[in-house]
Amino acid sequence: MINKNSFNYKVILFLIISVSILGTISTFVLSFINLSFDLDMYQIIAAANEVSDKKLGGVSFFPNSSLGIDILFWPYIFPSLLYSFFTNIFSNLYQFYFLITFEYLISICLLLLISIKLLKLFGWNNSKKIIIIFFSLVFLSPLFNQYFIGGKSTYRWCFIFTLISINFLINILLKKENSNKNNFACGLFSSLAPLSFVSMGLPIFVGIQLNILIHTFFTNKSSIKKKIINYIYFILGTIIPLIFITIYIKNNGNKEEIQNLIKLVFSY
């Protein structure tokens, strides 16, 4: 039995974290060397090229797609729009990996910062072991590593926006008087999660919406007027990305494309 306060115990924990983090980094480096994109990333870049050509942003090499992604690559709307700004700057796919590296660093930093924020809420001195165990499990978990931190980079913006929205949600839940900034930002980033990856972002979006609704009108002790103002700011932040996406689709797609896209999405 190893004493939790012993030097050997600390060394073992350090080695576990080091090996798991280095494993993640080495996987990323090997993917960079081999130019190893998953299929979704190729589709996002193809859609981004369409957007940069003033088109709606579909994947042209999948004609008559049953999902409608030849019209609009709707499962990943935000990354396609974001990458469209870089398609004319980056001359090859290797340069896109530097952008993915930046996303990787953002996601790691956010995960660390929000974990530390949670630790402080429970008392740092009593919870240091939690952060060690948490990061060990995160980096050693093949599923989480693959889909958020490691090779599956297409899901990373959804992960980033989820962490940011959770950060503002924590601020809202812990403060007796919710600031309008926190409500607006929480709504904004929660809305960007499904626009980054709809399959995973949509349940996250619904969960945050329910949390805010319950907190604002049932657990919050503020006045009715304050509750309504808080919720208006939250809803305003939520609908702004949706309004911009709607305007974008309307301005860049013809009536037939939009009608077909709606039918295919709801059918899917």
Side-chain angles (χ1 to χ4, degrees):
M1 194 74 179
I2 300 175
N3 187 344
K4 292 184 177 180
N5 295 319
S6 69
F7 176 76
N8 289 337
Y9 175 76
K10 295 177 180 179
V11 169
I12 290 171
L13 287 177
F14 176 77
L15 287 175
I16 290 173
I17 296 176
S18 299
V19 169
S20 57
I21 292 176
L22 289 173
T24 301
I25 294 173
S26 62
T27 300
F28 185 85
V29 171
L30 286 173
S31 297
F32 175 81
I33 294 173
N34 298 320
L35 195 61
S36 177
F37 285 109
D38 56 271
L39 177 61
D40 289 338
M41 179 56 73
Y42 283 111
Q43 294 178 77
I44 288 175
I45 295 174
N49 286 325
E50 292 280 313
V51 174
S52 64
D53 290 336
K54 310 299 181 183
K55 297 178 183 178
L56 192 56
V59 183
S60 57
F61 54 78
F62 285 130
N64 301 316
S65 167
S66 59
L67 303 182
I69 62 173
D70 57 328
I71 302 171
L72 173 69
F73 196 35
W74 57 271
Y76 301 96
I77 295 179
F78 176 83
S80 299
L81 293 176
L82 175 66
Y83 289 175
S84 68
F85 291 106
F86 299 97
T87 52
N88 295 323
I89 301 173
F90 296 161
S91 58
N92 57 63
L93 291 178
Y94 273 107
Q95 292 175 318
F96 263 101
Y97 243 112
F98 289 102
L99 179 60
I100 295 171
T101 303
F102 182 64
E103 297 169 7
Y104 174 87
L105 294 174
I106 291 176
S107 61
I108 292 295
C109 290
L110 282 172
L111 185 60
L112 177 61
L113 290 173
I114 293 176
S115 298
I116 292 174
K117 184 172 185 175
L118 288 171
L119 279 176
K120 287 182 178 179
L121 298 178
F122 295 107
W124 177 269
N125 293 331
N126 299 324
S127 306
K128 285 183 179 179
K129 294 182 181 66
I130 296 176
I131 191 68
I132 296 173
I133 295 170
F134 175 73
F135 272 94
S136 299
L137 291 174
V138 165
F139 284 97
L140 288 173
S141 168
L143 186 62
F144 188 88
N145 199 311
Q146 171 71 8
Y147 285 102
F148 294 106
I149 304 301
K152 197 71 174 177
S153 57
T154 49
Y155 297 170
R156 199 166 292 139
W157 278 108
C158 178
F159 178 60
I160 289 171
F161 290 135
T162 298
L163 287 176
I164 296 174
S165 61
I166 288 174
N167 173 68
F168 288 109
L169 178 63
I170 293 170
N171 292 343
I172 293 169
L173 295 177
L174 293 181
K175 292 183 178 180
K176 294 181 180 179
E177 295 294 331
N178 300 330
S179 69
N180 295 329
K181 177 188 72 175
N182 286 325
N183 283 279
F184 179 85
C186 185
L188 177 70
F189 290 107
S190 68
S191 185
L192 287 171
L195 294 176
S196 300
F197 178 47
V198 67
S199 297
M200 198 164 292
L202 192 58
I204 292 167
F205 172 79
V206 172
I208 291 176
Q209 293 285 323
L210 288 174
N211 265 281
I212 292 295
L213 183 65
I214 293 170
H215 173 74
T216 302
F217 293 105
F218 295 97
T219 63
N220 191 5
K221 303 302 182 182
S222 301
S223 64
I224 295 296
K225 181 180 178 181
K226 182 67 175 176
K227 289 180 179 181
I228 293 173
I229 292 174
N230 287 336
Y231 198 65
I232 287 174
Y233 271 92
F234 175 76
I235 292 298
L236 185 63
T238 299
I239 64 175
I240 282 179
L242 303 177
I243 291 173
F244 275 105
I245 291 297
T246 301
I247 293 173
Y248 166 76
I249 293 174
K250 185 176 180 182
N251 290 340
N252 290 275
N254 58 52
K255 186 176 180 180
E256 183 180 356
E257 285 180 333
I258 295 173
Q259 288 177 345
N260 288 336
L261 182 63
I262 292 172
K263 291 177 182 177
L264 289 168
V265 169
F266 276 98
S267 175
Y268 175 73

